[in-house]
């Protein structure tokens, strides 16, 4: 393979990371959805911090980041389900959409509660 050739044989792991090179659009959308889904769910508990959401700007920022990731994941998984219902990825994408709806409900409530608490703190100062 020529130097710089994006299709040159590489290790399986690096090829999986290059989802844009994959020829199955259902897989590309599923993989992008999974990346955002994992970041939304895992970002709340890992990243070297406590799983506890603190009632401050940092806590609100973490919740907003998770919501953003879940919304992006929802978009990608919806594409799989709607545009590629015959795909092997469609059933799991559909299940992830159910889970995302639950996460969105929970994190929207948390966001509202945190924003209200921060507003009360600001007003009492």
């Amino acid at each position: 393979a020529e130097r710089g050739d994006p299709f040159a044989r590489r290790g399986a792991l690096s090829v999986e990371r290059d989802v844009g090179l994959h020829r199955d659009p259902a897989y590309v959308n599923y993989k992008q959805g999974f990346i955002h889904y994992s970041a939304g769910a895992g970002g709340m508990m890992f990243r070297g911090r406590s799983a506890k959401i603190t009632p401050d700007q940092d806590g609100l920022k973490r919740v907003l980041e998770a919501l953003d990731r879940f919304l992006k994941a929802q978009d990608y998984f919806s594409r799989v389900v709607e545009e590629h219902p015959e795909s092997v990825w469609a059933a799991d994408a559909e299940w992830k959409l159910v889970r995302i709806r639950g996460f969105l409900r929970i994190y929207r409530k948390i966001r509202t509660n945190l924003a209200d608490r921060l507003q009360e703190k600001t007003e009492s100062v």
Side-chain angles (χ1 to χ4, degrees):
E2 262 184 77
R3 187 177 193 164
D5 179 3
F7 298 102
R9 177 153 172 79
R10 293 177 282 177
L13 184 59
S14 66
V15 171
E16 283 184 4
R17 278 191 237 151
D18 293 333
V19 293
L21 297 178
H22 204 282
R23 302 217 186 279
D24 179 0
Y27 173 76
V28 171
N29 283 301
Y30 177 85
K31 183 68 175 183
Q32 289 299 318
F34 188 80
I35 289 167
H36 289 291
Y37 176 86
S38 297
M44 292 304 297
M45 295 183 207
F46 307 106
R47 293 178 28 194
R49 295 187 260 184
S50 162
K52 183 177 179 183
I53 299 169
T54 54
D56 56 17
Q57 288 295 336
D58 186 52
L60 183 59
K61 181 181 174 192
R62 289 174 67 193
V63 169
L64 293 174
E65 288 172 357
L67 279 169
D68 181 59
R69 290 301 195 129
F70 286 128
L71 290 170
K72 288 176 181 172
Q74 184 177 41
D75 182 50
Y76 283 110
F77 288 138
S78 293
R79 288 183 205 168
V80 174
V81 170
E82 294 165 10
E83 297 173 14
H84 310 283
E86 74 293 342
S87 168
V88 297
W89 309 105
D92 192 57
E94 205 164 333
W95 171 242
K96 294 273 191 306
L97 286 169
V98 170
R99 304 250 358 237
I100 288 169
R101 283 191 289 273
F103 279 125
L104 289 174
R105 254 190 325 274
I106 292 166
Y107 288 121
R108 283 178 176 144
K109 285 181 185 178
I110 293 170
R111 176 195 60 198
T112 300
N113 291 338
L114 281 176
D116 289 348
R117 287 180 77 176
L118 290 171
Q119 182 66 30
E120 289 169 6
K121 270 185 176 178
T122 305
E123 289 172 358
S124 67
V125 172

